Amino acid sequence: MRRICKDERRIQSVNSSEEMAVSGMSAGRSAMRMGPAELVQAAAMARRFYLEGKSKIQIAEEFGVSRFKVARVLETALERDLVRIEIRVPAELDAERSDALRARYGLRHAVVVESPAEAEESPDPENLGEVAADLLGELVTEGDVLGLAWGRSTIHMAAALDRLPPCTVVQLTGVYDAGTAERGSVEAVRRAAQVSGGDAHPIYAPMLLPDAATAAALRHQTGIARAFEYFDKVTVACVSIGSWEAGISTVHDMLTEEERSHYASLGVAAEMSAHLFDAEGRRVGRDLGERCITVKADQLRRIPEVVAIAGGQRKAAAIDAVLRSGLVTSLVTDTSAADSLLMAGPAPRHALNRADPDGP
């Protein structure tokens, strides 16, 4: 798959052999009566600037004119269709939806991936993890502390990683099932650390415990306590989002039917790292966090870059809720979810800042 570059835009300038459209007589008539010498010079200057990467000063020196003249010629070439500029991204990325989502929710980065036709109704298609792996390759710098929360999408992301600068990797939540740790978030942390060459700090404990006392006792165990010490040092975090329904939220699936009904009565619309949110992005059911091995919401809010990976139309409302919370700075999603998010009514009240919607 093609890698995401920091500048996805490719500017192409074309002539008859290099995709630059200089159309002879018809162009001459329409381009303010530019004569053949002017047309040739304009094409040459455009070729130097757009294809060869020369500066306007360099072009001015070569042609013996001022750089202001060069700027005017290039501007005229664009206006008169002597030069055509195209902005392209890899086929699997949707630049227009990405930019619209970024603006709507005040995100730092939004990357929308084409939804695979065969997985249109499935949450978190695997290709989201591949794109998220590329995005982390851009965002993580040497010396960062990378935090990974439990989730199918983060596991897919870790499996797709093939480049990371040297960094420490820490697990931000316990696991869905301690018996599957080797195939889940523990393995994701190990994989990311292996790719980066940094230290790994996994958590060998369930995410949800029977009661708050048991959870508190586990947090003081040496290995878990060591991982928790890194939570306030995390600079880039990767999280998943779940909607409050069976099979779409691991936390939902871990609770009893009575507990699910209780939290549903509080208006839960989404779950992220064992934190529950209503449709407006307000945290509800905070008592659940006392029973969980997970990073605190306030700690997530202080992390400079929090990347959420979530897609599928079934998760759209949950994604909207979590984005409204202000805890997430960047999103990797698909066109199916993006279309629902872009039609979800007025822009979020808390866009463009990470203030707690519940107040101080």
Side-chain angles (χ1 to χ4, degrees):
M1 134 171 209
R2 293 159 119 181
R3 299 292 171 206
I4 301 175
C5 300
K6 285 193 176 181
D7 185 359
E8 292 287 356
R9 298 176 300 172
R10 284 198 253 156
I11 300 179
Q12 299 186 344
S13 165
V14 294
N15 66 14
S16 57
S17 61
E18 300 158 331
E19 298 184 63
M20 173 176 280
V22 180
S23 59
M25 183 179 297
S26 62
R29 290 196 188 106
S30 63
M32 297 180 64
R33 297 191 179 90
M34 291 176 71
E38 290 176 306
L39 284 170
V40 169
Q41 185 184 70
M45 287 183 176
R47 188 178 299 107
R48 302 290 193 282
F49 186 73
Y50 291 107
L51 296 181
E52 299 174 12
K54 292 188 176 180
S55 69
K56 293 174 184 176
I57 293 176
Q58 290 174 314
I59 297 170
E61 291 175 352
E62 177 182 350
F63 287 89
V65 297
S66 71
R67 62 185 177 89
F68 302 106
K69 170 70 178 294
V70 173
R72 286 196 300 271
V73 170
L74 293 175
E75 183 178 352
T76 300
L78 283 171
E79 291 175 350
R80 300 299 167 181
D81 206 28
L82 300 180
V83 173
R84 295 174 185 170
I85 294 178
E86 297 179 359
I87 299 175
R88 294 181 181 177
V89 296
E92 67 270 16
L93 301 182
D94 191 307
E96 185 175 353
R97 286 183 176 92
S98 298
D99 189 54
L101 271 185
R102 180 201 56 77
R104 173 178 171 79
Y105 289 96
L107 297 169
R108 191 167 294 127
H109 304 284
V111 182
V112 177
V113 183
E114 192 69 32
S115 300
E118 66 278 8
E120 190 169 340
E121 295 303 318
S122 301
D124 303 334
E126 290 192 22
N127 63 335
L128 293 186
E130 296 172 1
V131 174
D134 286 343
L135 180 60
L136 279 191
E138 289 185 76
L139 299 179
V140 176
T141 59
E142 184 172 352
D144 274 343
V145 176
L146 171 63
L148 300 181
W150 160 264
R152 284 179 290 265
S153 55
T154 53
I155 292 169
H156 293 156
M157 180 277 300
L161 281 172
D162 63 4
R163 62 186 177 99
L164 271 182
C167 64
T168 298
V169 186
V170 60
Q171 193 169 324
L172 295 179
T173 64
V175 299
Y176 173 42
D177 180 349
T180 64
E182 296 302 312
R183 303 191 302 275
S185 47
V186 169
E187 179 55 33
V189 169
R190 286 177 171 171
R191 168 65 182 167
Q194 180 184 32
V195 172
S196 74
D199 293 333
H201 295 278
I203 294 177
Y204 295 96
M207 181 189 295
L208 180 66
L209 282 304
D211 52 64
T214 304
L218 274 178
R219 293 188 197 106
H220 288 91
Q221 288 191 358
T222 304
I224 297 174
R226 187 178 299 118
F228 269 58
E229 289 173 359
Y230 278 92
F231 286 2
D232 287 327
K233 303 174 185 177
V234 173
T235 50
V236 180
C238 191
V239 300
S240 296
I241 295 172
S243 56
W244 199 244
E245 58 179 299
I248 312 296
S249 165
T250 53
V251 173
H252 175 281
D253 293 346
M254 285 188 282
L255 295 172
T256 66
E257 188 61 42
E258 183 180 354
E259 290 170 329
R260 293 170 192 160
S261 299
H262 166 66
Y263 291 117
S265 71
L266 300 180
V268 175
E271 172 266 317
M272 180 182 70
S273 302
H275 300 294
L276 309 181
F277 305 87
D278 68 10
E280 295 301 318
R282 295 182 293 258
R283 287 182 59 214
V284 296
R286 297 190 183 209
D287 60 304
L288 181 64
E290 297 175 4
R291 296 170 49 194
C292 293
I293 302 297
T294 186
V295 61
K296 295 179 180 178
D298 288 343
Q299 290 173 312
L300 278 173
R301 199 178 300 279
R302 292 194 295 268
I303 296 174
E305 186 74 76
V306 178
V307 180
I309 312 169
Q313 191 170 4
R314 292 175 66 186
K315 278 195 176 183
I319 297 169
D320 178 68
V322 171
L323 293 183
R324 290 172 183 271
S325 75
L327 292 175
V328 168
T329 62
S330 298
L331 174 69
V332 178
T333 190
D334 61 2
T335 52
S336 179
D339 286 342
S340 295
L341 290 169
L342 291 171
M343 295 188 296
R349 188 162 49 95
H350 299 286
L352 302 176
N353 72 72
R354 301 186 72 188
D356 187 343
D358 298 326

